[in-house]
């Protein structure tokens, strides 16, 4: 496929890295010529220095022949305009990154009016992952994902205890028409090999023919223990905190949102219904004690600083909060927090990249290219209706 990426920032390069080597012709457009020179030395891609809002530039580089254009500059408005221009010029599919909550409140109108095929939002994407985890304990919405004749099911291995202690080779004999493609263990996703043994606390992701998986799903599915989630504390009133507080409040959860910026607190209090907005420093343990951190069902560290989120997650875990979730941007911090026993660690770039890849790859041949528990490794499985091909 011919793919143009506008914006060589973190998201643009994350998507580029995922697509390189996939038999795609990739063009990267950015105004930073020095950055493009470095990229051209690292990747087998075409780089173009210039402003993609200029129609002549898009035409000169044959955007009309592109299968996809991804607009992911630092500006929502630029991304919307660039995607709209590219679509009007004949690009088959256009994707725009849009982050502002005010834009997201009218996303359908923007897509329809500007003819944008798909809009991605890192903050909203990470919010939906956290929400699903808390409300359904991170099932695949209802525990099953289907496409065509193939389905993927996720369940705790305790629901099928006969698998515990067995290797993948043995499991294949026990479930001859199914394949375990991933295992979640201690907050980390592993891709199993023939000698991998299933542990008693594992969560497994299993694929097979749709009818057989549907029957298995009836036996192993259990609603998440937090369908009656009551109390959640969120540290950080940025976009992620805003989206998450809004969704949890709508679900009926009592939410406490801590934000240190007074002006931001005022904005949040006027935009969020039934959410307690607290002006203060979430790292102040006296404040956390005063607001009964130890009584929370879950704690979400979503400030703009990875170091602060790491500290907050540790404080919440020491307060025996059952579910502690942390947002991080640096991969090395993500691994460190997982080692600390934090329940869920999410990187917005990983999640939105997975969303873009799913959209680009489509669903006719690919059943799943999904992010499991916020981790960057994807499971991609294709089917011709008779055979399964795990990547």
């Amino acid at each position: 496929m011919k793919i143009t990426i506008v914006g060589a920032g973190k998201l643009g390069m994350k998507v580029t890295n995922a697509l390189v080597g996939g038999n795609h012709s990739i063009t990267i457009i950015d105004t930073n010529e020095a950055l493009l020179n470095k990229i051209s030395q690292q990747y087998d891609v075409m780089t173009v220095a210039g402003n993609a809002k200029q129609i002549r530039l898009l035409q000169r580089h044959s955007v009309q022949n592109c299968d996809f254009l991804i607009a992911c500059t630092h500006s929502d408005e630029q991304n919307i305009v660039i995607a709209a221009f590219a679509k009007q010029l004949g690009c088959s599919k256009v994707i725009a990154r849009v982050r502002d909550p005010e834009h997201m409140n009218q996303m359908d109108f923007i897509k329809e009016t500007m003819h944008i095929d798909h809009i991605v939002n890192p903050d909203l994407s990470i919010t939906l992952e956290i929400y699903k985890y808390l409300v359904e304990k991170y099932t695949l919405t209802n525990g099953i994902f289907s496409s065509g004749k193939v389905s993927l099911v996720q369940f705790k291995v305790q629901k099928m205890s006969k698998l515990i202690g067995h290797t993948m080779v043995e499991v294949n004999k026990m479930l001859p028409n199914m394949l375990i493609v991933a295992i979640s263990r201690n907050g980390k996703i592993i891709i199993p090999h023939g000698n991998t043994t299933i542990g008693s606390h594992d969560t497994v992701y299993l694929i097979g023919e749709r009818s057989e998986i549907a029957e298995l799903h009836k036996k192993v599915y259990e609603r998440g223990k937090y369908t009656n989630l009551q109390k959640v504390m969120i540290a950080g009133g940025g976009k992620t905190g805003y989206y998450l507080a809004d969704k949890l409040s709508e679900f009926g959860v009592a939410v406490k949102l801590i934000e240190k910026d007074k002006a931001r607190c005022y904005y949040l209090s006027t935009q969020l219904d039934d959410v307690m907005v607290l002006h203060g420093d979430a790292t102040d343990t006296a404040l956390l004690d005063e607001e009964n951190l130890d009584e929370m069902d879950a704690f979400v560290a979503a400030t703009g600083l990875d170091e602060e989120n790491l500290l907050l997650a540790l404080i919440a875990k020491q307060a025996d909060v059952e579910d502690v979730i942390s947002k991080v941007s640096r991969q090395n911090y993500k691994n460190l927090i997982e080692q600390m026993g934090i329940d869920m660690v999410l990187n917005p770039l990983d999640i939105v990249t997975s969303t873009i890849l799913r959209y680009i790859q489509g669903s006719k041949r690919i059943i799943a290219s999904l992010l499991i528990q916020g981790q960057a490794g994807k499971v991609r499985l294709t089917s011709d209706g008779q055979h399964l091909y795990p990547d």
Side-chain angles (χ1 to χ4, degrees):
M1 287 188 290
K2 185 175 181 181
I3 301 172
T4 295
I5 299 173
V6 181
K10 292 180 180 179
L11 178 58
M13 295 318 302
K14 192 85 174 179
V15 174
T16 299
N17 190 57
L19 292 173
V20 165
N23 197 28
H24 304 301
S25 174
I26 301 174
T27 299
I28 300 176
I29 303 176
D30 197 277
T31 56
N32 189 331
E33 192 168 353
L35 177 59
L36 292 177
N37 288 335
K38 292 181 181 179
I39 293 171
S40 63
Q41 295 173 11
Q42 296 177 3
Y43 299 98
D44 182 18
V45 299
M46 176 183 290
T47 58
V48 177
N51 189 339
K53 288 195 298 183
Q54 296 177 353
I55 296 175
R56 291 173 61 183
L57 182 145
L58 294 175
Q59 290 175 323
R60 189 164 61 246
H61 294 282
S62 303
V63 72
Q64 65 272 15
N65 297 325
C66 281
D67 296 294
F68 289 92
L69 179 138
I70 305 165
C72 51
T73 73
H74 67 282
S75 166
D76 286 357
E77 288 74 17
Q78 284 192 43
N79 293 336
I80 292 171
V81 169
I82 291 168
F85 283 0
K87 187 68 175 182
Q88 192 66 32
L89 290 171
C91 182
S92 180
K93 298 286 185 181
V94 296
I95 302 170
R97 178 177 69 176
V98 179
R99 303 184 63 183
D100 195 312
E102 293 181 0
H103 285 143
M104 297 312 296
N105 290 336
Q106 50 197 16
M107 181 175 63
D108 291 339
F109 180 81
I110 292 174
K111 288 175 66 176
E112 181 179 352
T113 304
M114 309 300 284
H115 306 290
I116 297 174
D117 297 288
H118 192 54
I119 289 178
V120 294
N121 182 326
D123 302 288
L124 183 57
S125 295
I126 197 173
T127 294
L128 294 177
E129 295 297 326
I130 297 171
Y131 179 82
K132 284 191 294 182
Y133 177 83
L134 292 177
V135 173
E136 282 282 345
K137 291 302 287 181
Y138 210 87
T139 61
L140 299 170
T141 306
N142 62 355
I144 191 169
F145 176 91
S146 299
S147 178
K149 297 180 181 180
V150 186
S151 292
L152 178 74
V153 67
Q154 172 224 344
F155 60 91
K156 294 180 179 178
V157 74
Q158 291 98 326
K159 299 295 290 185
M160 187 175 282
S161 57
K162 68 178 184 178
L163 301 180
I164 297 174
H166 290 283
T167 65
M168 294 300 103
V169 173
E170 295 168 334
V171 170
N172 287 341
K173 294 178 181 178
M174 299 165 67
L175 303 171
N177 298 320
M178 303 179 191
L179 176 69
I180 293 179
V181 294
I183 297 174
S184 173
R185 179 176 296 165
N186 298 325
K188 191 173 185 64
I189 292 297
I190 61 174
I191 304 302
H193 301 287
N195 59 354
T196 302
T197 302
I198 296 180
S200 58
H201 298 290
D202 288 350
T203 294
V204 298
Y205 296 80
L206 190 147
I207 192 172
E209 292 188 5
R210 187 167 188 162
S211 58
E212 296 188 14
I213 292 293
E215 288 300 314
L216 175 64
H217 178 243
K218 294 177 183 178
K219 300 176 183 178
V220 300
Y221 177 59
E222 60 175 341
R223 291 187 63 81
K225 59 184 277 189
Y226 277 121
T227 49
N228 61 344
L229 185 72
Q230 295 181 1
K231 299 178 181 179
V232 175
M233 181 179 289
I234 303 171
K239 294 182 179 69
T240 300
Y242 170 86
Y243 287 131
L244 183 60
D246 188 40
K247 284 194 68 67
L248 288 175
S249 175
E250 184 179 341
F251 182 71
V253 174
V255 179
K256 290 184 177 181
L257 179 60
I258 303 176
E259 168 59 39
K260 63 175 63 176
D261 184 86
K262 191 171 184 178
R264 182 64 178 175
C265 284
Y266 177 77
Y267 173 82
L268 293 169
S269 64
T270 59
Q271 298 296 316
L272 296 171
D273 296 326
D274 301 320
V275 172
M276 182 182 292
V277 179
L278 303 170
H279 177 224
D281 186 348
T283 60
D284 182 354
T285 54
L287 173 63
L288 297 178
D289 290 340
E290 183 179 336
E291 296 301 330
N292 306 115
L293 172 64
D294 58 343
E295 296 180 5
M296 296 294 127
D297 296 320
F299 179 89
V300 180
T303 74
L305 298 174
D306 284 355
E307 295 83 358
E308 192 167 301
N309 289 337
L310 189 154
L311 174 62
L312 289 168
L314 182 59
I315 292 173
K317 208 61 185 175
Q318 290 179 338
D320 292 326
V321 177
E322 184 156 357
D323 273 313
V324 178
I325 300 168
S326 181
K327 169 186 171 183
V328 297
S329 297
R330 298 183 184 179
Q331 189 66 33
N332 55 338
Y333 281 3
K334 178 175 179 290
N335 296 335
L336 176 60
I337 294 179
E338 285 176 346
Q339 293 171 13
M340 291 161 47
I342 306 307
D343 300 281
M344 192 179 194
V345 185
L346 296 173
N347 185 323
L349 284 177
D350 287 346
I351 292 175
V352 79
T353 299
S354 177
T355 301
I356 292 172
L357 293 178
R358 283 201 303 267
Y359 186 78
I360 290 176
Q361 292 164 340
S363 59
K364 290 183 179 179
R365 294 189 65 249
I366 298 173
I367 177 176
S369 171
L370 66 148
L371 207 66
I372 299 175
Q373 292 191 350
Q375 297 186 28
K378 64 179 179 180
V379 178
R380 190 178 71 177
L381 299 141
T382 63
S383 169
D384 62 3
Q386 295 180 330
H387 303 88
L388 301 177
Y389 306 95
D391 270 1

